[in-house]
Amino acid sequence: MRRKRRAGIAMAAAASLLLVGCSQGVGMNNVVEGSTLSIGVLDTAMTVNAEDATLGNPLAVTSSAEQMIGNLLYLPFNTQTVPTATVNTQFASVEAVSTAPLIVNYQIAEGQAWSDAVPTDEADLLLAWAAASEHFAPEGFDPAEYTADDGSLRELPDDAVFFNTGWSPMKGKTELAQSDGSNRGILIEYTEPALEWRESLKQVLPAHVVAETALGISDPMVAKHAVAEAILTEDTATIRKLADAYREAFLLEGSPAAGAMVSNGQYLLDSIDPAGVVTLKPNKEFRTQNSAFAETVRIVPFESSDAMLEALRNKQINVAMPEPTVANYDAIQGMDRRGFSAISGPQESFLRLDFNIGAGKHEYLFANSGVRKAFLSAVKISDVLAVQTNAMGVAEARSSWVFPSSHPESQPTAEATGFANLTGIDEDQANKIFSEAGVKSRDVCVLFDARSDVQKQQFELMKTSSSELGWTLEDCSVDDWRAALKDPTAWDVAITVDDTSGQSFDLLAERFLTDGTLNYSGYSSPELDELVATAKTAADQYDALNAMVEIDKRLVGDAVGYPLYQLTALGVSADGVEGASMTADAPYIGQDAYGWDVKP
């Protein structure tokens, strides 16, 4: 597969020219004249590139402005997140044409175009691949050495080709991309296992704009040709210029850069005011279903949830996404049915209970899986779950380590793993376990977030219920619980927020793999390590799912902890906005904004 192609590039560019203007957009078909959708968010959008690595986790509820804007300006490949992805077939197709080696064909649907009528095609995919794979980064290049504390990049070495994109299954794992001959698709050969190859490309950005910024080429088709030729011939000097422009072309700081003004989604960037309010207008060239519905969309940043909710009451915005706290939940419930609709639902992140298996403040207290199950039974998990339900009205109980509660495999997996048996140990059984394990003291240091009212209530409940069976729980809460979690002698049990869900299976697996970068419990299982490797190398998605079920069986059987529930995301909309919701495909409000409706 590693070959260079010069022949056909010019012909491909010429073919693209024939496509310009040949397909009419449907972007204005559903627009309600005079309607405005104003969405309150807690972060100021800095870029329209939702895959920019400086954003951290773009799926986080409090940092969703870029994700929302990106979904409206650039049609995403995927409509559902891990561990299985649903490809947006209206926009593109993703197909494995070979499994040994894994070769995947990523192809744009026929007739797609950018808002300036330039076709969305092979050049855009090639640029997306170069960015997602970081194929051209220097060997041994470590971006961490050039990353400031705020996530921004310092000055890079002169020879560094670096796009600075977020996680992708293809990062550092592919051969040079190749054209599939259609001018709308590319072929990617993976050099290492990539379980989530369907999610490798999440956002396609306009290659012709990047080339104009980097190379000064104003003709869009000539610019596309330059991108394709540079990548297919491995012209690293030109690709470095493209990478530098890629990092700058989509920024929203000050005057929007050129890339931010071109879209293939429902909307176009119209303006940004000094306060950071981003205004979008319908894209007349939009060419699939779910076209623009509101004549104007405004993304309005606020410094606090209180200010955001006050603006909603005063009709300055008509949708709000406040921080998911008990106080804000109560405030929203007070507004519900008084001209507003609460639309709370589950986040992708979930709360979990972890055991310190390899060490602990009380050394090796939970080295025995039976002792762990006895503890889970003593703290009355059902009552711990009820604290969240009582405090915020919604708690989607989690019954799998791998699958979120909304995933179709979640319930069948729970039945296969015997998840319900994790908490079935009575006092006599527990005493027998303690005797056999040589447990003398049942003092337990519990780490949790000192700032969380819900977790404080959960700890107190666990303390009271477990004391009836001889356990003594110590409050070891701190504000920076993530840092404390890394100290193997600072805790025995921890209530933690797991935000790997919805990101990648690779990241999730790091919680349990022996020597995993996120494995702070000291858990180690050669069998599980082998299952993870099997899942990652499975060419067939169903074989991968089977391996994931077996992973869950191992984790549940070993009682490594307890996945409690999906955390709550909060939203509220004013009357006149219809369809705003949180779904399995859109776990936080705004991800499916293209499907909403709004009255003028």
Side-chain angles (χ1 to χ4, degrees), residues 10-32:
M11 292 179 62
S16 290
L17 280 168
L18 296 176
L19 291 173
V20 178
C22 72
S23 177
Q24 296 299 313
V26 297
M28 302 299 290
N29 288 6
N30 299 319
V31 173
V32 179

Side-chain angles (χ1 to χ4, degrees), residues 35-43 68 273 275-279 296-323 332 335 338-341 343 570-577 580 589 596 598-599:
S35 60
T36 298
L37 178 67
S38 295
I39 307 172
V41 294
L42 285 173
D43 61 321
M68 184 187 308
D273 72 11
V277 177
V278 176
T279 300
T296 302
V297 173
R298 300 168 67 244
I299 312 297
V300 186
F302 290 88
E303 292 186 359
S304 70
S305 296
D306 289 342
M308 181 192 300
L309 293 175
E310 185 63 23
L312 183 67
R313 296 186 188 97
N314 293 335
K315 300 183 179 180
Q316 295 170 314
I317 58 175
N318 46 13
V319 177
M321 296 190 295
E323 189 177 3
I332 287 175
M335 297 168 65
R338 292 173 172 82
F340 304 95
S341 297
I343 44 179
L570 298 184
V572 58
S573 64
D575 287 350
V577 177
I589 184 173
W596 301 355
V598 60
K599 297 177 182 178

Side-chain angles (χ1 to χ4, degrees), residues 469-483:
L469 296 175
W471 297 88
T472 301
L473 271 57
E474 175 190 356
D475 182 338
C476 292
S477 62
V478 294
D479 288 353
D480 193 357
W481 61 270
R482 293 180 189 274

Side-chain angles (χ1 to χ4, degrees), residues 5 105-107 122 178-187:
R5 295 183 68 256
N105 184 197
Y106 301 90
Q107 189 175 98
E122 170 186 290
Q178 301 295 319
S179 170
D180 71 355
S182 71
N183 195 47
R184 293 182 288 106
I186 58 175
L187 294 169

Side-chain angles (χ1 to χ4, degrees), residues 163-339:
F163 289 85
N164 197 29
T165 54
W167 174 86
S168 170
M170 63 169 55
K171 187 160 290 186
K173 297 180 180 179
T174 66
E175 295 283 5
L176 178 68
Q178 301 295 319
S179 170
D180 71 355
S182 71
N183 195 47
R184 293 182 288 106
I186 58 175
L187 294 169
I188 302 298
E189 179 179 339
Y190 286 81
T191 58
E192 295 182 31
L195 171 65
E196 292 153 327
W197 49 266
R198 293 171 184 82
E199 294 185 275
S200 289
L201 299 180
K202 297 182 180 180
Q203 190 176 49
V204 178
L205 303 176
H208 63 290
V209 179
V210 173
E212 180 177 2
T213 304
L215 309 175
I217 303 174
S218 58
D219 184 304
M221 303 316 300
V222 176
K224 276 181 171 286
H225 168 69
V227 171
E229 182 173 45
I231 292 174
L232 292 173
T233 62
E234 300 183 271
D235 179 357
T236 55
T238 300
I239 296 169
R240 184 186 189 282
K241 295 177 182 178
L242 294 174
D244 292 345
Y246 184 94
R247 297 196 307 271
E248 303 293 330
F250 306 100
L251 298 178
L252 296 178
E253 301 171 274
S255 299
M261 307 300 291
V262 178
S263 166
N264 67 359
Q266 294 89 343
Y267 287 88
L268 288 168
L269 179 65
D270 183 70
S271 65
I272 306 172
D273 72 11
V277 177
V278 176
T279 300
L280 310 176
K281 292 290 187 180
N283 173 13
K284 296 179 181 180
E285 289 291 331
F286 187 68
R287 308 200 175 192
T288 65
Q289 296 178 13
N290 294 319
S291 59
F293 54 95
E295 191 171 52
T296 302
V297 173
R298 300 168 67 244
I299 312 297
V300 186
F302 290 88
E303 292 186 359
S304 70
S305 296
D306 289 342
M308 181 192 300
L309 293 175
E310 185 63 23
L312 183 67
R313 296 186 188 97
N314 293 335
K315 300 183 179 180
Q316 295 170 314
I317 58 175
N318 46 13
V319 177
M321 296 190 295
E323 189 177 3
T325 64
V326 175
N328 289 335
Y329 176 82
D330 291 341
I332 287 175
Q333 297 309 302
M335 297 168 65
D336 195 29
R337 299 180 183 176
R338 292 173 172 82

Side-chain angles (χ1 to χ4, degrees), residues 6 22 28 44 46 66 101 107-108 129 138 155 173 182 218 221 266 353 406 415 444 474 511 518 548 564 589:
R6 290 182 182 273
C22 72
M28 302 299 290
T44 301
M46 305 303 291
E66 285 91 356
Q107 189 175 98
I108 301 293
W129 164 78
E155 186 174 351
K173 297 180 180 179
S182 71
S218 58
M221 303 316 300
Q266 294 89 343
L353 205 65
S406 61
E415 294 172 1
V444 181
E474 175 190 356
R511 300 282 188 188
L518 300 175
M548 291 178 187
L564 292 165
I589 184 173

Side-chain angles (χ1 to χ4, degrees), residues 383-509:
D383 291 345
V384 174
L385 295 173
V387 172
Q388 170 72 3
T389 302
N390 293 338
M392 299 181 72
V394 59
E396 283 198 6
R398 184 109 175 182
S399 56
S400 165
W401 286 108
V402 177
F403 301 106
S405 55
S406 61
H407 197 282
E409 292 291 337
S410 177
Q411 189 55 41
T413 298
E415 294 172 1
T417 62
F419 182 80
N421 298 327
L422 268 176
T423 57
I425 293 179
D426 61 26
E427 187 173 6
D428 290 339
Q429 291 172 313
N431 287 332
K432 182 179 179 181
I433 290 170
F434 298 149
S435 176
E436 292 175 351
V439 173
K440 305 296 183 182
S441 170
R442 279 173 262 178
D443 294 338
V444 181
C445 169
V446 181
L447 172 66
F448 60 94
D449 188 346
R451 302 161 299 177
S452 170
D453 292 336
V454 169
Q455 290 183 27
K456 288 178 184 177
Q457 294 177 45
Q458 290 168 331
F459 168 77
E460 291 298 333
L461 187 147
M462 291 166 58
K463 180 179 179 179
T464 300
S465 59
S466 63
S467 66
E468 298 173 2
L469 296 175
W471 297 88
T472 301
L473 271 57
E474 175 190 356
D475 182 338
C476 292
S477 62
V478 294
D479 288 353
D480 193 357
W481 61 270
R482 293 180 189 274
L485 195 63
K486 299 176 183 179
D487 182 352
T489 64
W491 58 282
D492 299 308
V493 170
I495 303 173
T496 67
V497 174
D498 191 316
D499 53 14
T500 61
S501 185
Q503 293 297 289
S504 74
F505 176 75
D506 285 348
L507 195 60
L508 186 68

